[in-house]
Amino acid sequence: MQLPAGVTGHDWLIKASPRMARADEAACPTHRRIAMRPLLVADPVVPFRPSPREEFGFGPLFTALDLWEHEEDWTIEQVREELRNTRGPFRGWGAPVHPAHLAWTAHALEHYARARTREQAEAVAAGLPPTRPMRLTPTWRTAFERVPDQLGAHQYEHTVWGRVYASADGSVRDLWLPSMARAKKSRPDAELGAVAQVMTYGVPTPRRKAWKQPPREPTVGREPRLVRVFDIGCADGSVEPLLSVGPAEAQRRFADDAVPAFLTAATGTGTQPGESCVDCKAIAGCTEVKRTPRLWGGRPPAAARKRRSVSAWDLRLHAKCPAQYHLLRRLHLDDLSGENRGARRGRAVDSWLDACHAERPVRGCRDREIPDLAAIRAWAPMDEASAREARGMLAEHRLLCPLNGLNATEQVLVQHRVSAYVPELDVVVLAVPDLVYTHRGRWIWHETKTSARPLWEGESLLRTFPQLALGILLFHAKALGDDPRRSWVELEHLREGHGQSRLEPIDPGRAENVEEARAVIADLAQPLLDDTTYDPTPGRHCHDCQARTWCRPGTAYVTDHSRTEADDQPQGDVPAHD
């Protein structure tokens, strides 16, 4: 394999985890190909940069489970007490853990222990032998071949992740996969095929610390007669059985489902800038990701950090509450409370608009029939009053739709990811405008927002909606289109009621707009980039925070402050679209 620019090292080993078998249309093919070759490194080499807070959500949980499952005399209550007394890294492993993250870990630990105990009792009652925790996860490694294969590999190594258990006689092996919220009822067939193969033929293997010499022998152990895979939801303790197969079925699933997926990932070509850039070893040599030095004039943080991404939603969320940003955006904690009614309404409106605007040939919405309440509620669960509000907003949109009268030859991109790399900050900027389209050679960035309240005349649009500011800066840096003077940013602000909605255009070619956009993003981005503690700032946003269950200051605020009508109907931002 010819190495892409920006990486160096050896490619004799291909390492495949079940996650690499998942199809991912948003992932960069070159990044996936390089990621499967662990002996390739960035050139120039990027030094290790520790995180100020633990960013692997399951890390402390796995350490807690190790105490309960592998250390003698550790009860669940003792482990919970250890979590309560922790200040900094848990048991000395990893980075310091956020207090709310520790509280979530104690919550998840108890759910896991109960679910595991309950399942084992049911299994034994059904005639299966009990399974015991394994300290090491299995690895299935092929023999080292002196002559490389068609992919240039001499050896393949397949791994799994999760909690592994085996019966005393080796006849049964279990894998438990934790999920942050509810248990997943299914996973891709390719992923399960990869898991089945490793759990059947893999051998418990310590994590390798050096790669100087390839291991000569394959790792093939005694195969169990039964492999079972479970998914467990850490938020509610729900358990879903995903797989129960013998060796023959495991082989078939691996060959039919996993191998084609791995082959696609290991041979992918082409580049697709986006989220993949954050972890890509080849970014230094990549010519596809747009470099935008001094995009907003930010300064590097005092403490060097590993590369990370920043979006408009990240900036807004951190400005409201740094803890909420860390817990929701970085750790993905979820207490299952669900989105507030304004967000659900906004998601329904966005879903309908996306479906309409994605139709080809291009068609405006002026003459479209507005869906009934049942259809709107099918897009996103909500009460009837919210559905009526959403229907009124869709009626308003018909007159404001930017595709009305647009020539069928123009480009129309729905939820198109625009990305850029700020090299001096080592930050990947991600933006997903609701709509990007061309009009007579001009690129237009269109954002749609739903709200129960009118725009406030006294506040800057760019400060109210920083995604507009980010769009201006990306246009100015030529991350989309070559001439910002021929570009446009516009906000479609939808409200229920005839004539209540507005379409606000902003010219990214005007110097005063660029300067204001820089000031807006700098004011939001610098505190985020400098933050090392992610302390909570309690406020009205605590009412709808999906991590509040584990945040003491947030819980105290909600106890002391009743919800108001204004809290129920915020601006209709939908995080997934930022």
Side-chain angles (χ1 to χ4, degrees):
M1 181 191 78
Q2 182 177 0
L3 301 184
V7 297
T8 188
H10 305 284
D11 61 356
W12 58 261
L13 175 68
I14 291 182
K15 186 173 182 179
S17 70
R19 184 172 183 175
M20 294 304 296
R22 300 177 192 170
D24 187 352
E25 295 182 357
C28 172
T30 294
H31 165 69
R32 282 166 64 86
R33 188 177 80 246
I34 297 170
M36 292 187 72
R37 292 163 169 85
L39 303 188
L40 294 179
V41 295
D43 183 20
V45 175
V46 177
F48 173 73
R49 298 168 181 170
S51 298
R53 286 286 193 190
E54 178 61 61
E55 293 191 340
F56 177 40
F58 297 115
L61 175 61
F62 275 37
T63 301
L65 287 171
D66 285 344
L67 289 175
W68 177 55
E69 294 181 336
H70 299 303
E71 302 298 331
E72 293 183 5
D73 302 327
W74 277 86
T75 65
I76 289 295
E77 185 49 46
Q78 286 174 318
V79 179
R80 285 173 57 88
E81 184 64 24
E82 186 80 357
L83 287 163
R84 282 191 289 267
N85 293 333
T86 293
R87 302 293 183 272
F90 180 50
R91 299 289 291 177
W93 293 96
V97 186
H98 194 280
H101 190 184
L102 289 167
W104 175 89
T105 301
H107 171 96
L109 172 67
E110 193 161 324
H111 275 313
Y112 189 101
R114 288 176 179 171
R116 168 80 182 145
T117 301
R118 182 173 61 250
E119 189 282 324
Q120 279 292 279
E122 294 170 354
V124 170
L128 292 175
T131 55
R132 303 178 301 185
M134 297 173 62
R135 285 185 177 271
L136 302 175
T137 55
T139 297
W140 176 56
R141 183 185 301 129
T142 64
F144 181 85
E145 302 292 345
R146 293 188 177 277
V147 179
D149 65 7
Q150 69 272 21
L151 301 186
H154 292 264
Q155 192 170 57
Y156 291 81
E157 192 168 280
H158 293 261
T159 61
V160 294
W161 173 85
R163 305 298 297 184
V164 182
Y165 306 87
S167 61
D169 62 1
S171 64
V172 179
R173 276 188 180 180
D174 294 340
L175 178 67
W176 283 56
L177 300 170
S179 294
M180 280 290 178
R182 295 184 178 90
K184 294 181 176 65
K185 295 185 178 181
S186 64
R187 290 182 183 247
D189 289 342
E191 181 179 353
L192 292 177
V195 167
Q197 181 78 356
V198 178
M199 289 295 293
T200 301
Y201 296 103
V203 171
T205 307
R207 185 175 181 179
R208 190 186 303 168
K209 295 183 180 180
W211 300 86
K212 295 180 180 179
Q213 295 294 328
R216 299 290 173 177
E217 299 299 326
T219 53
V220 179
R222 174 188 173 187
E223 63 188 49
R225 64 176 176 84
L226 180 64
V227 164
R228 304 187 306 161
V229 179
F230 300 90
D231 201 294
I232 175 169
C234 292
D236 64 355
S238 56
V239 175
E240 293 288 344
L242 302 180
L243 197 67
S244 180
V245 297
E249 178 67 5
Q251 279 189 328
R252 186 197 66 77
R253 283 175 170 263
F254 181 72
D256 293 350
D257 300 327
V259 169
F262 282 139
L263 184 62
T264 298
T267 59
T269 58
T271 54
Q272 186 168 325
E275 188 69 37
S276 296
C277 298
V278 176
D279 299 315
C280 189
K281 306 172 189 176
I283 194 170
C286 182
T287 58
E288 288 300 313
V289 59
K290 178 69 177 180
R291 281 164 170 74
T292 55
R294 297 194 59 77
L295 185 64
W296 61 80
R299 65 177 186 277
R305 300 276 297 276
K306 65 179 182 179
R307 189 181 311 136
R308 47 188 160 162
S309 63
V310 168
S311 70
W313 182 251
D314 291 331
L315 299 176
R316 288 195 66 179
L317 197 58
H318 184 273
K320 284 197 302 184
C321 177
Q324 199 173 88
Y325 160 78
H326 177 68
L327 300 173
L328 299 184
R329 295 293 279 181
R330 307 304 299 179
L331 299 178
H332 308 291
L333 305 192
D334 185 352
D335 64 3
L336 304 179
S337 60
E339 297 175 310
N340 63 57
R341 66 185 301 266
R344 289 195 297 271
R345 181 190 60 212
R347 190 174 297 281
V349 171
D350 278 353
S351 297
W352 191 81
L353 295 181
D354 288 349
C356 293
H357 296 160
E359 287 184 5
R360 296 296 177 269
V362 173
R363 175 190 170 195
C365 297
R366 181 181 291 117
D367 299 322
R368 290 186 187 273
E369 183 178 349
I370 301 301
D372 59 25
L373 297 183
I376 291 174
R377 296 175 74 175
W379 285 110
M382 68 183 79
D383 56 57
E384 187 169 329
S386 296
R388 282 197 299 270
E389 292 168 0
R391 195 170 191 274
M393 292 170 181
L394 293 176
E396 286 285 284
H397 167 78
R398 287 191 300 184
L399 297 178
L400 300 177
C401 179
L403 306 188
N404 288 340
L406 194 70
N407 192 296
T409 61
E410 300 284 5
Q411 295 187 63
V412 176
L413 306 175
V414 178
Q415 297 297 326
H416 175 66
R417 186 173 294 278
V418 182
S419 57
Y421 179 54
V422 186
E424 74 275 13
L425 304 179
D426 201 18
V427 163
V428 177
V429 177
L430 302 175
V432 186
D434 293 315
L435 194 63
V436 175
Y437 64 100
T438 59
H439 180 61
R440 298 179 181 177
R442 166 184 290 178
W443 277 102
I444 300 176
W445 179 303
H446 185 93
E447 296 283 0
T448 303
K449 292 300 168 188
T450 62
S451 180
R453 295 169 292 179
L455 290 171
W456 183 40
E457 298 290 346
E459 188 169 352
S460 159
L461 278 179
L462 301 189
R463 290 202 175 273
T464 304
F465 303 102
Q467 51 269 64
L468 302 176
L470 200 56
I472 288 174
L473 295 185
L474 289 170
F475 265 140
H476 185 72
K478 300 180 180 180
L480 182 67
D482 295 327
D483 188 354
R485 294 171 301 178
R486 291 181 55 80
S487 303
W488 208 259
V489 175
E490 59 188 16
L491 169 69
E492 180 182 355
H493 190 259
L494 293 177
R495 297 182 64 218
E496 182 191 18
H498 181 66
Q500 297 297 308
S501 301
R502 291 168 55 179
L503 185 66
E504 297 285 346
I506 307 171
D507 184 356
R510 297 184 63 176
E512 57 267 35
N513 289 339
V514 175
E515 288 306 309
E516 182 184 2
R518 281 199 181 116
V520 168
I521 299 301
D523 289 347
L524 294 172
Q526 201 61 53
L528 186 154
L529 296 179
D530 289 339
D531 201 350
T532 58
T533 59
Y534 305 110
D535 293 329
T537 53
R540 294 194 318 180
H541 48 268
C542 292
H543 287 287
D544 296 308
C545 178
Q546 291 175 278
R548 192 191 73 229
T549 299
W550 307 290
C551 177
R552 287 186 178 180
T555 299
Y557 178 90
V558 170
T559 300
D560 294 339
H561 299 78
S562 61
R563 179 188 290 270
T564 66
E565 183 178 352
D567 295 322
D568 284 328
Q569 300 186 9
Q571 296 287 342
D573 286 322
V574 182
H577 288 177
D578 254 337

